[in-house]
Amino acid sequence: MAKKIDAALWIAGKAQADLHGEKLIAEKIVQNLLHKNGQQRGTSRKDLTIHDVSRETGVPATTIRYWDKVGLISAGRSAENNYRLFSAEHVKRILTIYALKFSVYAGHQKHSIERIREDLKKFDYNDRNRIAAMTSGIGQYLNQVNRALIKGISALYHLCRQVEANQFDKLI
């Protein structure tokens, strides 16, 4: 039984770590789209690899590859090794896609590639009010998810302690 309890607690811990990763991406979205008005900080290289972009944005390389495959982004290829090459504009677009995906979730709607594609066409990087509202909504959404996750982890821990002690609270 102890192994199952430990496994459940590790899963809950991973969910918390994953959510923290989402928060870090949201902070990068705010920094890139709002505070720098889409201006990318200076990089020493013109072209970035997918791993550079993933490290810079926090967005998993697998997600970036998928977005390239479905046409949300269009990365060039290196003549030397056929690796995808990304620019600062790609970084901004990747963060925008992630922001749009978050916004849909924050509105408790289902996201789709087609919806994101349409939202990207209409996205105005100069509309600071819309970007501020969108990033604020993302922050509120992540805070709600964090509170719910913490509440769930607390309940799980309480239940695990009851199981270990073989003492269960009465249901009211």
Side-chain angles (χ1 to χ4, degrees), residues 3-142:
K3 285 185 178 183
K4 289 183 179 181
I5 289 173
D6 288 336
L9 293 173
W10 278 110
I11 290 168
K14 182 179 180 326
Q16 189 67 30
D18 290 347
L19 183 61
H20 185 261
E22 299 286 343
K23 181 183 182 296
L24 293 176
I25 294 171
E27 290 169 357
K28 290 177 184 186
I29 290 167
V30 169
Q31 182 65 27
N32 190 279
L33 298 182
L34 192 59
H35 295 309
K36 292 183 180 179
N37 197 22
Q39 302 280 322
Q40 195 61 31
R41 72 173 183 255
T43 56
S44 59
R45 297 183 302 185
K46 181 180 176 191
D47 294 318
L48 305 169
T49 67
I50 197 164
H51 295 292
D52 296 332
V53 173
S54 179
R55 195 171 23 257
E56 171 124 0
T57 63
V59 177
T62 54
T63 300
I64 298 168
R65 282 186 193 98
Y66 176 72
W67 290 345
D68 187 37
K69 180 181 176 183
V70 298
L72 289 178
I73 57 175
S74 181
R77 295 284 185 157
S78 167
E80 296 172 10
N81 55 22
N82 205 33
Y83 286 178
R84 289 175 180 88
L85 297 177
F86 298 89
S87 66
E89 284 299 313
H90 286 110
V91 171
K92 182 169 68 170
R93 187 166 176 97
I94 287 165
L95 288 171
T96 302
I97 294 167
Y98 219 87
L100 292 170
K101 184 177 94 166
F102 266 137
S103 293
V104 170
Y105 287 149
H108 304 291
Q109 303 164 2
K110 187 176 179 181
H111 94 282
S112 70
I113 295 301
E114 286 309 313
R115 179 181 179 136
I116 290 174
R117 191 182 323 275
E118 290 302 313
D119 288 347
L120 269 173
K121 288 178 186 175
K122 297 182 281 185
F123 193 82
D124 180 2
Y125 289 97
N126 296 314
D127 188 348
R128 295 183 59 75
N129 291 333
R130 179 172 182 240
I131 293 170
M134 180 175 64
T135 56
S136 175
I138 291 167
Q140 290 172 3
Y141 168 73
L142 290 175

